[in-house]
Amino acid sequence: MQIAVLSGKGGTGKTTVATNLATIMKYRYVDCDVEEPNGFLFLSPDINQVVEVDIPNPVVDRDLCTTCSKCVNICQFNALAVTKKGILLFEKMCHGCGACIIVCSEDAITEKGRNVGRVEIGENKDTECIRGILNIGEPMSGPVISKVKEYINDSESSIIDCPPGSSCNVVKALDGVDYAIFVSEPTEFGIHDLRIVVELAKKAGIPYGLIINMADSGSTLLQDYCRKESIKLLGTIPYDIKAARLYSKGKLLIEDESFRDIFSRIADSIREELKCS
Amino acid sequence: MKICVSSIGKDKNSQVDLRFGRCPYFIIFDTDTGKYKAVENRGMTSSGGAGIAAAQTVIDENAEVVLTGSIGPNAMDLLKASDIKAFKPAGSTVEKAIEEYGSMQIEEICEAAPAHFGMGNQNRRGW
């Protein structure tokens, strides 16, 4: 069972929800926000395995190359160019598809792995923890997220902490997911970006529910939205300075009794939903 | 020799396009024949690597000089690797830009602008 936590807008509380839920439900925690993974700050797992993630990039043998440009023309990502001095590779544009190697009629191109990030696997006293980390300066999260997902294709249940937004990296993180939990804050900014990820989940055919985070009594923005769009409301986490205090010390919210109750009830709602979907 | 100008339209009276990677056309002027030719910029329709595709278009046309507003880091590397020089015209039309180059009263572009500079979202700060 793979459950994704996503939001659209950043800073709404995905990691807070994902880390606390994973701990209370005893599900594996998986951080797919590989550009800036922060879940381990709250879970402090002991790492027992590190897997490097490499993308295969083309290497052109200048002695065999005739600069016929077949490789340049086939590349869908503009990673190769031809100059008087030979073929030039823009390595950060290369997606490692291998098309250039296939079309080269001189067998002048071979592959060489280029490190773009790593996957770290570990555990704390409560649960297994996995995260992907993209090297600083790399533009593509996809390959690292895909590698992380290879390690959760088993019978254990996982809570996947997704990247913010709704582009390629989120789509990759959602691949194969059974249920989506949206975390939103009761603001117009929150709802604006939430609408986009709801569309994404609908298109992907993934059932979903919503948690309102940082809720205050003054706003019914999200409750109204849920009612109007028929979205299951899984629970509400209040806007409370206790949360900020615990968070600032790198502690899980469930160390506090009232938050533990709230997350416990949210976990029950989720289990109910999983039975039906 | 051939001079290549980034352009909004297909002829010598068209406005110079200050973007290099995403301009719709390059106008190639041959100083030997005095003739103009319009070429579609492959970078305009690329999903990514527009600068690279645009520079490749220029290289394929055997131009030695580019006249444009600014050039991104990937395009700059590619043009330099091909010994192609770039200049920024003050003139508004392709023909005026070429005259400016001829008189050598023109600013050279020696360094790349930041990536995606021509996309008009410098004030975006992300999430």
Side-chain angles (χ1 to χ4, degrees):
Chain A
M1 180 66 55
Q2 289 187 20
I3 303 171
V5 179
L6 64 165
S7 60
K9 181 181 177 293
T12 57
K14 285 183 295 306
T15 298
T16 301
V17 165
T19 50
N20 283 278
L21 272 183
T23 306
I24 210 166
M25 294 174 87
K26 300 226 174 292
Y27 281 15
R28 183 204 273 138
Y29 170 80
V30 183
D31 200 341
C32 279
D33 186 1
V34 303
E35 289 185 59
E36 55 215 344
N38 60 349
F40 281 18
L41 290 170
F42 305 94
L43 300 174
S44 304
D46 290 319
I47 309 294
N48 46 43
Q49 195 186 353
V50 177
V51 181
E52 295 297 326
V53 181
D54 297 336
I55 292 188
N57 282 167
V59 177
V60 178
D61 184 338
R62 282 169 188 247
D63 295 327
L64 295 173
C65 174
T66 60
T67 57
C68 72
S69 300
K70 283 196 191 125
C71 56
V72 173
N73 295 332
I74 198 81
C75 182
Q76 301 297 302
F77 309 103
N78 291 324
L80 291 166
V82 59
T83 68
K84 282 175 285 197
K85 298 175 187 155
I87 304 290
L88 224 69
L89 169 71
F90 287 86
E91 58 184 20
K92 290 191 175 154
M93 308 296 305
C94 175
H95 283 55
C97 74
C100 51
I101 294 175
I102 294 171
V103 297
C104 180
S105 42
E106 311 300 320
D107 285 329
I109 307 181
T110 49
E111 246 174 32
K112 183 171 169 217
R114 189 173 69 83
N115 186 260
V116 296
R118 63 191 188 276
V119 175
E120 290 180 352
I121 302 167
E123 59 194 5
N124 62 15
K125 63 173 169 49
D126 300 301
T127 186
E128 195 189 341
C129 306
I130 300 182
R131 73 175 174 181
I133 307 177
L134 184 68
N135 292 345
I136 293 173
E138 288 294 334
M140 287 189 284
S141 312
V144 180
I145 297 175
S146 295
K147 192 52 124 181
V148 169
K149 302 278 270 177
E150 278 176 33
Y151 286 87
I152 62 172
N153 251 339
D154 54 19
S155 53
E156 223 189 291
S157 291
S158 304
I159 301 255
I160 299 171
D161 194 354
C162 294
S166 50
S167 48
C168 298
N169 46 6
V170 175
V171 175
K172 268 254 151 73
L174 280 180
D175 189 27
V177 151
D178 303 295
Y179 189 79
I181 298 174
F182 301 122
V183 178
S184 193
E185 60 186 40
T187 63
E188 291 292 352
F189 295 113
I191 283 202
H192 178 278
D193 292 2
L194 173 63
R195 285 184 207 281
I196 301 171
V197 284
V198 169
E199 273 310 298
L200 186 53
K202 275 187 192 161
K203 281 207 161 81
I206 301 172
Y208 46 79
L210 183 124
I211 295 176
I212 303 176
N213 191 23
M214 295 184 272
D216 63 46
S217 51
S219 166
T220 56
L221 211 53
L222 281 172
Q223 290 89 331
D224 296 342
Y225 171 76
C226 284
R227 211 175 303 119
K228 191 160 157 254
E229 302 291 325
S230 309
I231 299 178
K232 169 74 184 168
L233 184 54
L234 297 165
T236 304
I237 302 166
Y239 185 60
D240 188 333
I241 197 155
K242 273 189 296 181
R245 287 205 184 101
L246 286 161
Y247 187 95
S248 70
K249 295 190 176 125
K251 290 176 187 268
L252 291 171
L253 300 194
I254 53 179
E255 287 200 14
D256 169 275
E257 202 60 56
S258 55
F259 280 118
R260 193 169 191 95
D261 264 341
I262 290 168
F263 275 98
S264 211
R265 275 182 274 126
I266 290 175
D268 289 338
S269 296
I270 293 169
R271 285 196 195 94
E272 270 306 310
E273 286 299 294
L274 291 177
K275 275 191 216 140
C276 308
S277 60
Chain B
M1 91 156 164
K2 295 199 175 130
I3 302 170
C4 176
V5 189
S6 52
S7 170
I8 290 178
K10 291 192 207 179
D11 62 70
K12 63 180 180 176
N13 296 312
S14 301
Q15 280 265 17
V16 171
D17 193 331
L18 295 175
R19 301 164 304 173
F20 177 72
R22 296 285 184 189
C23 67
Y25 301 102
F26 286 117
I27 307 295
I28 317 287
F29 176 71
D30 190 334
T31 58
D32 298 332
T33 63
K35 288 209 161 94
Y36 292 86
K37 175 174 94 160
V39 168
E40 277 177 13
N41 173 17
R42 297 197 285 271
M44 192 184 81
T45 48
S46 298
S47 57
I52 297 164
Q56 186 70 73
T57 307
V58 173
I59 290 168
D60 291 347
E61 291 295 325
N62 292 309
E64 289 171 39
V65 166
V66 165
L67 305 183
T68 187
S70 63
I71 298 173
N74 288 333
M76 201 72 206
D77 283 348
L78 192 46
L79 292 175
K80 281 191 173 159
S82 295
D83 299 320
I84 296 172
K85 286 194 171 264
F87 298 86
K88 180 176 175 161
S92 50
T93 66
V94 171
E95 191 174 25
K96 290 211 179 80
I98 291 169
E99 276 164 21
E100 243 184 271
Y101 174 75
S103 69
M104 278 323 275
Q105 300 286 320
I106 192 169
E107 188 191 323
E108 187 173 358
I109 301 173
C110 303
E111 271 173 32
H116 306 288
F117 183 69
M119 298 294 279
N121 55 1
Q122 282 87 59
N123 295 316
R124 199 179 82 177
R125 287 285 175 261
W127 310 107

